[in-house]
Amino acid sequence: MTIPATKPVEELSYEEAFAELESIVAALENSQQALEESLALFERGQLLARRCGELLDSAELRVQQVNVRLPGLPEQDAPEG
Amino acid sequence: MLSIYKNCSLHSLLARVLPNLQPQIKTAPFRLTLPRKAVILNLMEQIPLFTPLSLTVSDLTRYLRQLMESDDVLRDVWVQGEISNIARPSSGHIYFTLKDQNAALKCVIWKTNALRLRLPLQNGMAVEAHGYISLYERDGAYQLYVDAARMAGEGLLYQEFMRLKARLEAEGLFDPERKRALPARPRRIGIATSPTGAALQDMLNTLRRRYPLAEVLVAPCAVQGEEAPLQIVAALGALDRLGADVILLARGGGSLEDLWAFNDERVVRAVAASRVPVVTGVGHETDFTLCDFAADLRAPTPTGAAVLATPDKTDLLNELNGTLRLLDGAFLDGLDLRRRGLHETVGQLERNSPRDDRQRAFAPAGAQPAGRAAARIRRGHP
């Protein structure tokens, strides 16, 4: 196995980073790679884990309002009882 | 029950005039049958011929009151009408008149019942009131003593609810096999709710606390009123198109009528047909709507829906730490494996070597392996 061309960890989302971390663990458990390669994977895995931790600490919920198109009906805010 | 007759002279009069009636009267059930009433009326017309006879107002009133209170229809009845002249004196009781085009009915709600009333009564409101009819003797006025009230038509709504539920159930829309598992870590969480309601803020606060990694798409829609069903259906469609991984369909509490959009057949079908798993959080714990039955998961409240749809930050941290330990373990095990392979090869080499210097071939001085993998090698190969 060769290390796939990967983005710097700083550019990864939590999901991406965690998924890659899990695939690295799986690859290391297979132990098919050369020693330097597994060392590189291990180091990358640690970076990924750190990235995940940082994201969990610093993440802020992103909220976006979407347009709901209603065929033939005006858009209206709803009163709530 | 015959005390009325004993209190006045009617009983003895009847006994005198119609001796054959006497045994009947003694054992008579409380309610007078028509022929017997006719007899009494006839007698009363003739009364001046015999002796002065009169019921006291109290006697008659008490008699009427007992009549009303023993009537099967009148002692357990729903009455519909419009509220007027509502009064709330400091006693805590509520007085009002229920009327329609042609008639009016005085109503009382005693304080204890008034406190338990779910519906805030107002003048002009069309309601259905439940209670019993009795007579207020002092005023000679009959009234409805109310112990429960609901919006007019709510009884019909409930029947409609049960009918539609049975039909959709028979179609299999609520089958447990239809329910899908929610994604463990949703990237995009869609919310279909009123943009101005407290429910939205409750859900956003919960998501912020539990799972700030998510992206939230809010599809605003009316959650009550005539236009609500179509808007909810459109909101579900929009969230699907925008790639939501899970949809929270929610609304704060309200009356059966307020929540009615969530029993609308179009909305229920849209929930059941949604490609994206739907979690409902409509009303309070005790409110059930047909959407709840059609959804993949029903939460008791909007906040509950946000909780059920997301992992908690703490759980994610634990998961991350677990994976990190696996990473360490896998790497060290890999080293371990290689060392053992090396060791074995060296052993073979030495066994086949013409020379007998094992120490020289393996582990040159100063290159002691360190750490956990090395310790394992030493244990395995003393």
Side-chain angles (χ1 to χ4, degrees):
Chain A
M1 176 186 160
T2 55
I3 306 166
T6 46
K7 287 196 259 179
V9 290
E10 294 75 28
E11 292 174 18
L12 296 178
S13 73
Y14 183 91
E15 287 304 304
E16 290 168 329
F18 190 78
E20 195 185 331
L21 174 60
E22 284 189 311
S23 73
I24 283 179
V25 170
L28 285 177
E29 282 171 345
N30 280 330
S31 298
Q32 296 297 315
Q33 50 296 101
L35 187 61
E36 297 101 70
E37 214 176 287
S38 69
L39 186 62
L41 282 174
F42 176 66
E43 283 171 348
R44 170 104 180 148
Q46 289 196 312
L47 288 178
L48 289 167
R50 194 191 302 158
R51 168 73 178 160
C52 286
E54 284 167 3
L55 281 173
L56 271 185
D57 282 341
S58 67
E60 289 196 9
L61 195 72
R62 288 156 296 158
V63 180
Q64 191 189 337
Q65 183 156 323
V66 305
N67 283 324
V68 179
R69 274 184 300 272
L70 289 162
L73 278 174
E75 203 160 303
Q76 246 183 341
D77 279 2
E80 189 161 346
Chain B
M1 274 193 246
L2 290 170
S3 59
I4 284 182
Y5 304 110
K6 283 175 186 152
N7 286 346
C8 67
S9 52
L10 184 59
H11 180 239
S12 51
L13 180 74
L14 284 171
R16 234 188 302 148
V17 178
L18 292 166
N20 58 336
L21 204 60
Q22 194 178 7
Q24 252 179 307
I25 287 180
K26 267 183 182 158
T27 60
F30 174 68
R31 224 173 303 171
L32 294 176
T33 58
L34 276 177
R36 256 182 258 155
K37 280 181 187 163
V39 167
I40 292 176
L41 287 176
N42 277 337
L43 278 173
M44 290 181 90
E45 278 172 16
Q46 297 169 23
I47 279 164
L49 300 176
F50 295 91
T51 171
L53 172 89
S54 62
L55 294 170
T56 65
V57 172
S58 293
D59 287 338
L60 180 77
T61 304
R62 199 174 308 131
Y63 173 67
L64 285 173
R65 178 178 164 185
Q66 286 169 343
L67 262 187
M68 288 179 178
E69 290 185 353
S70 63
D71 185 278
D72 284 345
V73 170
L74 297 182
R75 65 187 181 192
D76 177 13
V77 65
W78 282 98
V79 185
Q80 53 177 302
E82 191 177 290
I83 294 178
S84 64
N85 294 327
I86 192 162
R88 302 166 188 273
S90 57
S91 60
H93 312 316
I94 302 176
Y95 302 91
F96 59 96
T97 305
L98 212 51
K99 63 176 188 185
D100 59 19
Q101 284 176 333
N102 302 314
L105 172 66
K106 287 189 155 209
C107 299
V108 186
I109 310 181
W110 299 130
K111 184 181 177 181
T112 46
N113 288 323
L115 290 174
R116 284 190 285 121
L117 214 58
R118 282 185 63 181
L119 191 66
L121 302 180
Q122 289 165 13
N123 280 329
M125 192 181 256
V127 297
E128 295 168 354
H130 178 267
Y132 64 94
I133 297 282
S134 186
L135 207 149
Y136 182 44
E137 294 181 22
R138 196 198 72 185
D139 293 352
Y142 71 91
Q143 10 186 34
L144 178 66
Y145 293 80
V146 177
D147 54 23
R150 62 191 184 195
M151 295 296 291
E154 233 176 58
L156 276 178
L157 275 186
Y158 186 69
Q159 280 175 17
E160 167 69 12
F161 173 91
M162 295 309 285
R163 206 178 50 77
L164 186 58
K165 175 168 181 278
R167 186 152 60 80
L168 298 179
E169 201 161 31
E171 257 185 60
L173 247 61
F174 307 153
D175 285 357
E177 307 89 72
R178 292 181 54 98
K179 314 286 180 206
R180 292 160 296 187
L182 307 181
R185 288 194 295 263
R187 279 181 311 114
R188 285 190 169 166
I189 300 173
I191 297 182
T193 193
S194 158
T196 55
L200 177 60
Q201 291 315 314
D202 290 348
M203 286 187 283
L204 291 179
N205 288 337
T206 305
L207 294 176
R208 229 167 249 135
R209 177 170 48 77
R210 281 179 65 87
Y211 194 55
L213 295 167
E215 180 187 350
V216 176
L217 303 175
V218 178
C221 54
V223 291
Q224 72 184 59
E226 258 178 45
E227 69 277 20
L230 280 179
Q231 290 196 17
I232 294 171
V233 171
L236 292 176
L239 293 173
D240 182 359
R241 278 196 303 282
L242 292 166
D245 299 317
V246 64
I247 293 176
L248 313 182
L249 174 58
R251 188 206 186 285
S255 69
L256 183 61
E257 201 181 19
D258 290 341
L259 304 182
W260 196 249
F262 295 87
N263 295 318
D264 186 283
E265 184 170 350
R266 292 163 293 182
V267 178
V268 180
R269 287 193 183 280
V271 169
S274 171
R275 289 188 304 175
V276 184
V278 176
V279 185
T280 50
V282 178
H284 298 303
E285 190 97 37
T286 50
D287 297 320
F288 269 87
T289 68
L290 294 183
C291 277
D292 290 326
F293 294 108
D296 294 284
L297 193 61
R298 183 245 176 199
T301 57
T303 301
V307 169
L308 290 180
T310 51
D312 190 47
K313 206 163 138 179
T314 317
D315 296 335
L316 287 180
L317 272 176
N318 290 337
E319 179 189 53
L320 184 60
N321 284 329
T323 312
L324 197 53
R325 276 195 298 276
L326 286 180
L327 179 74
D328 286 348
F331 178 63
L332 292 175
D333 285 350
L335 287 186
D336 191 357
L337 204 68
R338 287 187 181 84
R339 282 209 184 87
R340 257 183 286 158
L342 177 63
H343 197 92
E344 211 166 277
T345 312
V346 168
Q348 278 172 356
L349 181 67
E350 284 172 353
R351 277 195 295 283
N352 296 328
S353 168
R355 292 158 70 175
D356 191 18
D357 189 354
R358 298 174 69 151
Q359 291 306 316
R360 198 190 43 167
F362 183 53
Q368 283 294 323
R372 174 176 141 196
R376 247 185 255 161
I377 288 177
R378 282 195 295 273
R379 275 199 306 278
H381 305 268

